[in-house]
Amino acid sequence: MSNKTRVRPAARGVQPAPSPARRIAPLLIAFAVGALLAGPIGALAADSGGSSSSSSDDRVAALQAEEAKRDAAQIVELTGKARQIQGSLVPVLDALATAVPVGKPPGPAASPSDVAGWQSVTGKAVADFADPPSGGTGTNIARSGLAAAVRTLDAAVDTYAAALAQPEASRAALLELAGRQRDIAVATWSTAATQLDVLNVDSGNGHAHVFLPAAPGQGALTADGVPEGK
C-alpha cells in the first residue's frame, strides 16, 4: 500500500457551503425593497390620518356653530317669555304684598274671586314653562329657575286660598307659610333673572332686566344700574 494520503471524494448529494457574501446578499435586497416601499406607504397613511383629523375638526366646528346659533335663539325666546310672565305676575305680587306683607302681620283678607284670579294667572305661568326645550347649560339653568319660581308662587297662592278656607282664628300659620313661599318665589326668580341677564350680555344683546318687584327681607337680587340693551 502507498503511504500517500488519498483525498476522499465528497459525498454525493452534499453541496458546498455558500460563501458569507451569498448569504448576506438576499437580506440586503429585502431591506432595500422594504425601505423603498415604506416611504410611499407611510406618506399615504399620514395623509389619510391628516384628512380624517381635519374632517373630524370640521364636523366638531359645524356642530358647535349650530349649537351656538340655537342657544342665541333660545335666549331671545326665553327673555321674551320671561317678560310676558313677569308682567302677568306683578299684579298678583302687589295684591299679596297687601294680603301678606313682608315682615308684618297679615293685611285684610282678599276676596275669593280675587284669589281665584291669582290662581288662574300663576297656573298659566306654570303651564308656560312645561315641556321645556333642551338648550345650553346656561339657558337651561335660567329656564329651570324661572319655572321653579312660578311653581313656588303658585303654591303660595294655593296656600293663601287654603288659609281663607279656615276660620279666621286658625289662619295665622297658613298665612305665614303663604308669605314665606311668596318670598322664596321672588328670590328664586331673581337668581334666574340674573342668569338670564348674563346670558343676554354674553350673546351680544345687552342687559335684559326681567326682575319681579321685591321688598327688603325677601333675599332677592335686583337689577344693576346699567340701562337695558347696553
Side-chain angles (χ1 to χ4, degrees):
M1 293 181 63
S2 172
N3 291 329
K4 293 182 179 181
T5 303
R6 294 182 178 180
V7 178
R8 298 178 65 182
R12 292 182 180 180
V14 178
Q15 299 296 328
S19 66
R22 293 179 64 184
R23 288 198 303 269
I24 296 173
L27 297 177
L28 293 176
I29 293 172
F31 179 78
V33 172
L36 290 173
L37 292 176
I41 292 174
L44 180 61
D47 182 66
S48 176
S51 298
S52 176
S53 175
S54 176
S55 177
S56 297
D57 291 344
D58 290 344
R59 286 196 297 272
V60 170
L63 289 173
Q64 289 176 337
E66 184 178 345
E67 184 175 329
K69 183 178 180 181
R70 178 203 63 188
D71 287 345
Q74 287 194 5
I75 290 169
V76 173
E77 180 273 333
L78 181 58
T79 303
K81 177 181 287 189
R83 288 193 190 282
Q84 180 183 9
I85 293 175
Q86 174 206 41
S88 69
L89 295 180
V90 168
V92 176
L93 290 170
D94 287 344
L96 282 173
T98 300
V100 281
V102 179
K104 296 179 181 179
S111 68
S113 62
D114 285 343
V115 176
W118 304 348
Q119 289 174 316
S120 176
V121 171
T122 57
K124 183 179 183 306
V126 170
D128 284 342
F129 282 113
D131 193 22
S134 177
T137 301
T139 308
N140 288 342
I141 290 172
R143 181 183 286 106
S144 296
L146 296 173
V150 296
R151 287 197 302 270
T152 307
L153 184 59
D154 187 55
V157 172
D158 286 345
T159 301
Y160 186 84
L164 295 188
Q166 299 295 318
E168 189 171 351
S170 304
R171 294 176 181 176
L174 286 175
L175 291 174
E176 191 271 337
L177 177 58
R180 283 195 289 117
Q181 289 174 321
R182 181 268 322 276
D183 295 346
I184 293 171
V186 172
T188 302
W189 180 284
S190 74
T191 302
T194 300
Q195 170 70 7
L196 189 58
D197 188 26
V198 172
L199 289 173
N200 274 282
V201 172
D202 289 345
S203 63
N205 300 329
H207 284 271
H209 300 145
V210 194
F211 292 85
L212 292 173
Q218 288 183 303
L221 300 173
T222 56
D224 53 35
V226 182
E228 290 276 312
K230 299 296 185 179

